[in-house]
C-alpha cells in the first residue's frame, strides 16, 4: 500500500488541471504578447486565471500578479515593498516561525540597513497581539506574518493582527504568507486588512513553478524583474501560460464545494490525532478541530529520530516529512518547534503528516499500524 501524507510539501496535480496544462502547451501555445489570434488565445487564459483567483479572494483581477511560486511571491512582497517604501522608514516586523522564503529575504534586508523585529509565539504557535503592538515604531513600514504555519498548522489571527497594525499606523503594510492557507481557508484580504498575500499552485493540486502575489492596488512596490513590461511592468518576461491556466483551474476546483472539502480534511486531521494518542511516547504538536489548519498534524515520537522513522515508514510505503521540504537538505533545529516549547529531546523526533483531498481514513489506519510496528524496534535500536 502506498500512502502519501506529505501534501504540505507538494500535492498531486488533479487530472483536469493536467489536461488543461497539456492543451495549452500543445494547442494554445501562443505568446500572450503576440498580436495575432494565437497570442490573444494565450492572453485569455491569463485573464481567466486572474479572474478565477481574484474571485476566490473577492479582490480585483488586476491585483493578482503571477509569479514562479511561493518563494518568489514572498521575496517580492518583502524586498521590493521594503525598497519602495524605505523613505517612510526602515523597520519590519515578522515572527520567529516563518518559512525560509521569508526569513532569508529578511536577513538580506537587514544587510541592506533595515531593522527587523521577530515576534515570539506561545505554546500554540500564536503571536501575542500585545507584543506586536509594542513592537510597532514610527519607522515601521511592513509587517509579515504567515497565515498557517507549515510545520504544525497553527493559524495566526490575521484579522486581529491587521487591526492592531492599522490602528497604530494605517500606512504600515501587512504581508501574509498564505502558502499553506490558500485552498484550505476562506480568505478575504479586503475584509481582513491584508495588503499583500502569497500563494503557490503546487500546494493546492496545481503544478509546480507557478504562484501568485495579491497586491492591493494602493500598495507601492518595485518590480523584481525588468524587461518587456509584462504584468503592468511589475514582473517582466513571457508569462508561464500553461502553469497560470492550470493554477486557475486548480483554484476553481478547490474552491468549488470548498466547505465540504475542508470538512473532510479536518475530519482526517482529527482522526489522525485520535489514532496517534493510542501510541505510547507520542506528543501531538497540532491542535484539533478549527484551532489549527485542517491538513497538518505534527507529532513527536520519544526515543526515535525523525529521519530514521521517516525512512522506515518510507520502506513501508508511507511518505511523510520531518519538516519543511524547502529546507530539508539543510538540517537545522526547527524555530517553530523551539518556539512552541517542544522538549529539546523531541526536537529531532518530530514528523509532519499532511493531507490532501484524496486521502482516506484507511490510509491513516495503515500508517498507525506501521508506526506501532516500527517504533518499538527503532526505540530499542536507538537505546542500544
Amino acid at each position: 500500500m502506498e500512502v502519501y501524507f506529505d501534501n504540505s510539501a507538494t500535492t498531486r496535480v488533479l487530472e483536469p488541471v493536467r489536461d488543461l496544462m497539456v492543451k495549452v502547451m500543445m494547442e494554445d501555445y501562443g505568446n500572450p504578447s503576440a498580436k495575432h489570434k494565437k497570442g490573444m488565445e494565450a492572453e485569455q487564459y491569463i485573464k481567466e486565471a486572474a479572474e478565477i483567483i481574484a474571485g476566490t479572494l473577492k479582490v480585483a483581477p488586476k491585483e493578482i500578479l503571477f509569479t514562479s511560486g511561493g518563494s518568489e511571491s514572498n521575496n517580492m512582497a518583502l524586498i521590493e515593498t521594503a525598497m519602495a517604501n524605505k523613505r517612510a522608514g526602515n523597520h519590519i516586523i515578522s515572527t520567529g516561525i516563518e518559512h525560509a522564503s521569508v526569513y532569508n529575504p529578511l536577513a538580506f534586508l537587514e544587510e541592506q540597513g533595515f531593522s527587523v523585529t521577530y515576534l515570539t509565539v506561545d505554546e500554540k504557535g500564536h503571536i501575542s497581539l500585545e507584543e506586536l503592538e509594542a513592537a510597532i515604531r514610527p519607522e515601521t513600514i511592513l509587517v509579515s506574518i504567515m497565515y498557517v504555519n507549515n510545520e504544525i498548522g497553527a493559524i495566526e489571527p490575521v484579522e486581529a493582527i491587521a487591526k492592531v497594525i492599522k490602528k497604530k499606523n494605517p500606512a504600515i503594510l501587512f504581508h501574509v504568507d498564505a502558502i499553506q492557507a490558500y485552498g484550505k481557508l476562506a480568505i478575504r484580504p479586503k475584509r481582513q486588512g491584508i495588503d499583500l498575500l502569497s500563494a503557490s499552485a503546487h500546494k493546492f493540486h496545481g503544478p509546480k513553478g507557478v504562484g501568485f502575489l495579491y497586491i492591493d492596488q494602493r500598495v507601492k512596490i518595485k518590480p523584481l524583474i525588468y524587461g518587456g513590461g509584462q504584468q503592468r511592468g511589475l514582473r517582466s518576461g513571457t508569462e508561464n501560460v500553461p502553469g497560470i491556466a492550470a493554477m486557475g483551474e486548480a483554484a476553481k476546483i478547490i474552491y468549488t464545494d470548498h466547505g465540504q472539502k475542508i470538512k473532510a480534511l479536518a475530519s482526517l486531521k482529527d482522526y489522525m490525532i485520535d489514532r496517534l494518542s493510542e501510541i505510547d511516547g507520542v506528543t501531538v504538536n497540532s491542535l484539533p478541530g478549527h484551532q489549527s489548519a485542517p491538513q497538518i498534524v505534527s507529532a513527536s515520537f520519544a526515543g526515535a529520530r525523525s529521519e530514521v522513522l521517516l525512512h522506515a515508514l518510507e520502506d513501508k510505503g508511507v511518505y511523510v516529512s520531518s519538516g519543511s521540504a524547502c529546507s530539508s537538505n539543510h538540517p537545522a533545529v526547527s524555530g517553530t518547534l523551539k518556539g512552541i516549547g517542544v522538549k529539546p529531546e523531541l526536537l529531532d523526533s518530530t514528523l509532519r503528516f499532511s493531507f490532501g483531498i484524496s486521502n482516506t481514513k484507511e490510509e491513516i489506519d495503515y500508517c498507525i499500524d506501521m508506526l506501532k510496528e516500527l517504533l518499538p524496534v527503532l526505540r530499542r535500536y536507538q537505546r542500544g
Side-chain angles (χ1 to χ4, degrees), residues 313-361:
L313 285 170
E314 179 187 359
D315 289 342
K316 300 293 186 178
V318 180
Y319 296 89
V320 300
S321 172
S322 58
S324 171
C326 300
S327 57
S328 60
N329 291 325
H330 307 280
V333 175
S334 164
T336 298
L337 298 180
K338 286 182 66 178
I340 65 172
V342 171
K343 295 177 181 178
E345 63 269 23
L346 295 180
L347 291 174
D348 191 33
S349 300
T350 301
L351 295 181
R352 179 187 67 184
F353 307 84
S354 50
F355 309 114
I357 59 176
S358 63
N359 288 131
T360 65
K361 290 184 177 180

Side-chain angles (χ1 to χ4, degrees), residues 21 70 76 80 112 128 134 176 215 241 252 342 348 352 373:
M21 195 170 184
M76 185 169 186
E80 303 311 319
Q112 307 307 306
S128 161
V176 171
I215 309 171
V241 184
K252 181 172 68 175
V342 171
D348 191 33
R352 179 187 67 184
E373 175 185 318

